[in-house]
Amino acid sequence: MSLRIAKIIAFGRQAAPYLAIELILPGGSLIALVLWILKNRPSMQRRLPGARLTAQLVAALRPSAPSTL
């Protein structure tokens, strides 16, 4: 088996759960995207230079007390 085919099979195995969620659940595209981002967060922070700063900004904007609405 060539290296290219092995990489395609490995990618298919990694993507299969997300594709199943996308096809089965209503709004599955968003759910699958969020789950993928949560799983790959550390590697994404290394690749994206502004990701850590953005995460700190979002954490700072969260309210400290629960809303009473």
Side-chain angles (χ1 to χ4, degrees), residues 9-53:
I9 291 172
F11 176 76
R13 287 184 179 161
Q14 290 175 349
Y18 303 107
L19 293 173
I21 290 171
E22 186 174 345
L23 294 173
I24 294 171
L25 295 175
S29 297
L30 294 176
I31 295 169
L33 178 64
V34 168
L35 290 174
W36 183 85
I37 288 172
L38 289 174
K39 181 180 178 193
N40 295 304
R41 188 182 329 174
S43 65
M44 288 182 63
Q45 286 181 350
R46 284 192 302 268
R47 280 187 255 160
L48 300 175
R52 185 163 295 165
L53 179 62

